[in-house]
Amino acid sequence: MKVLLYFENEKSIRKSGIGRALRHQIRACEMSGVEYTLNPKDSFDIAHINTYMFNSYRILRRCQKKGIPVIVHGHSTKEDFRDSFRCWKLMSIFYFWRLKKMYSHADYIVTPTEYSKGLIENYGYNKKVYAVSNGIDLKAYAPQPENAEIFRKYFNLSPEQKVVIGLGLQFKRKGIADFFEVARKMPDVKFIWFSHLAPILQSHFVRKAIKHRPSNAIMAGYVEDYKVVRGAFQNADAFFFPSYEENEGIVTLEALATKCPCVIRDIGVYKDWLHDGVDCYKGHNNEEFEQILRKVLEHKDQKIIDEGYRVVSERSIDKVGTKIKDVYQEILSNKK
């Protein structure tokens, strides 16, 4: 069995969640013994397409003409496109058309969670949809004290400085404005937001929020040195991610994997697998987030942290590799 893992314009998406998903899929295939290729000109038995633009659709149709089963990966939904890029409402006309074109013509769809599976099934395309996590390489996020030192030095942080981090493209949907508002209420704490989006793609709301952010909120941008980012997860006092909509949230998996206390918004995607006060902390508004963060910064509840790690361990890349291999084998069996 050989699988095509296809990502259109790979260089342009490498900084996004879909870019990380490519690395995770490669690792999952390697760990489960599935042969793969990134070149659509190679020979392969299954096409696993992760993007939705014109060339992705051409490859989809070409494979189907050859009798090769096609999986389209449900990284995106109509729900998580809202409140993202500048002029998203205008862009959504084209984007939703592309999603429909890819999902409706796919033979199968794989998406990260039961939540996103339910959303896609409700679109009415009548396709078999599998829920398989993006996964996380637990070994890559194992504690490394030198990374914490690199992180502290990078931002010139004193040993006693309390730090809260967030990570995600600069979308309104990601809750970046809420991140700043909570930071404003806690001036003695450093709030650092990682990742970057070109200003031309940022909404007016987000640009205004960034411009007027409090002095204790740092915009780190996209940091190339992974040791700095992993050091941030390993050394921060809390990971604060007030996103309004996610299909899984790879950054949440990263925080859990590094045993960083997770403060997240109580939204649908987390309902089935993360539980407030058990393996994470959930809030609904900025007042609750402030109260939760103050509590977390004052007292580190190791029991909640350990339970969060147990939850993310179920999404380790080796287990995801086994699940996606089972999906591939089932699809080939169906073809026969």
Side-chain angles (χ1 to χ4, degrees):
M1 175 174 58
K2 187 175 181 180
V3 179
L4 168 68
L5 302 178
Y6 184 71
F7 288 74
E8 190 169 349
N9 296 326
E10 181 187 332
K11 290 183 180 179
S12 67
I13 63 172
R14 71 183 182 89
K15 297 180 181 180
S16 68
I18 296 179
R20 290 208 295 285
L22 167 61
R23 297 191 287 274
H24 289 186
Q25 285 180 21
I26 289 173
R27 188 79 178 117
C29 284
E30 290 173 344
M31 296 190 76
S32 61
V34 174
E35 188 179 0
Y36 69 91
T37 179
L38 303 179
N39 185 356
K41 294 181 180 179
D42 285 347
S43 61
F44 47 86
D45 304 294
I46 297 174
H48 188 161
I49 300 175
N50 286 264
T51 42
Y52 314 118
M53 297 305 288
F54 296 104
N55 205 45
S56 299
Y57 181 72
R58 281 197 291 268
I59 290 172
L60 182 154
R61 299 302 282 171
R62 188 186 309 154
C63 289
Q64 289 177 331
K65 287 179 181 178
K66 294 180 179 179
I68 298 172
V70 176
I71 299 168
V72 171
H73 205 104
H75 293 292
S76 299
T77 61
K78 295 176 182 179
E79 288 75 10
D80 81 342
F81 190 75
R82 295 189 177 103
D83 287 323
S84 53
F85 298 98
R86 182 182 183 183
C87 302
W88 73 267
K89 290 182 180 179
L90 183 61
M91 294 170 65
S92 68
I93 298 171
F94 171 75
Y95 190 74
F96 292 171
W97 174 70
R98 292 305 311 171
L99 281 185
K100 181 179 179 181
K101 202 169 183 65
M102 293 298 295
Y103 289 165
S104 64
H105 286 91
D107 297 310
Y108 304 91
I109 299 172
V110 169
T111 193
T113 59
E114 290 294 334
Y115 172 77
S116 55
K117 178 177 183 283
L119 292 179
I120 293 172
E121 286 176 337
N122 286 336
Y123 297 161
Y125 298 138
N126 196 29
K127 305 291 179 179
K128 172 97 175 184
V129 184
Y130 298 90
V132 181
S133 171
N134 286 305
I136 187 79
D137 188 346
L138 294 177
K139 290 183 179 179
Y141 290 88
Q144 293 178 298
E146 65 272 19
N147 288 351
E149 293 178 14
I150 291 170
F151 159 67
R152 288 269 166 178
K153 185 176 181 180
Y154 186 90
F155 290 101
N156 195 28
L157 300 170
S158 63
E160 66 276 6
Q161 177 66 64
K162 296 289 187 181
V163 180
V164 172
I165 64 168
L167 193 155
L169 291 176
Q170 293 154 11
F171 295 157
K172 180 181 179 182
R173 168 177 66 82
K174 295 287 185 181
I176 189 169
D178 298 288
F179 187 86
F180 294 149
E181 284 308 305
V182 174
R184 200 181 308 277
K185 297 170 184 287
M186 304 174 68
D188 56 323
V189 179
K190 286 290 185 186
F191 283 70
I192 304 175
W193 186 276
F194 290 89
S195 200
H196 172 74
L197 183 68
I200 195 172
L201 297 176
Q202 296 171 8
S203 68
H204 173 73
F205 175 86
V206 168
R207 290 202 308 274
K208 184 178 178 181
I210 292 173
K211 182 178 179 180
H212 296 290
R213 70 187 185 275
S215 59
N216 62 318
I218 299 172
M219 293 298 296
Y222 182 80
V223 179
E224 292 282 355
D225 188 349
Y226 74 91
K227 292 183 179 180
V228 173
V229 180
R230 290 182 185 172
F233 275 114
Q234 292 165 6
N235 189 251
D237 296 281
F239 170 71
F240 176 33
F241 189 51
S243 178
Y244 288 85
E245 182 69 27
E246 295 292 323
N247 287 328
E248 181 172 43
I250 290 179
V251 292
T252 304
L253 299 183
E254 291 174 325
L256 293 169
T258 51
K259 298 189 176 182
C260 184
C262 270
V263 180
I264 54 179
R265 192 178 299 278
D266 190 0
I267 55 176
V269 71
Y270 301 128
K271 183 179 179 180
D272 296 333
W273 56 287
L274 288 175
H275 305 90
D276 181 37
V278 177
D279 41 46
C280 69
Y281 302 88
K282 293 183 180 180
H284 299 88
N285 53 55
N286 291 343
E287 288 71 27
E288 290 185 10
F289 288 137
E290 180 193 359
Q291 292 172 11
I292 293 168
L293 283 169
R294 289 192 183 279
K295 176 183 174 183
V296 170
L297 268 58
E298 288 173 6
H299 172 66
K300 187 177 181 180
D301 193 325
Q302 194 62 44
K303 185 177 179 181
I304 291 178
I305 292 170
D306 291 343
E307 187 62 21
Y309 187 80
R310 185 198 66 77
V311 169
V312 80
S313 296
E314 293 302 313
R315 289 162 172 76
S316 64
I317 206 73
D318 57 327
K319 293 181 179 178
V320 168
T322 299
K323 288 181 180 179
I324 197 65
K325 182 178 182 178
D326 289 344
V327 170
Y328 293 156
Q329 289 176 332
E330 181 180 322
I331 288 171
L332 283 182
S333 178
N334 290 342
K335 178 188 173 184
K336 293 177 182 178

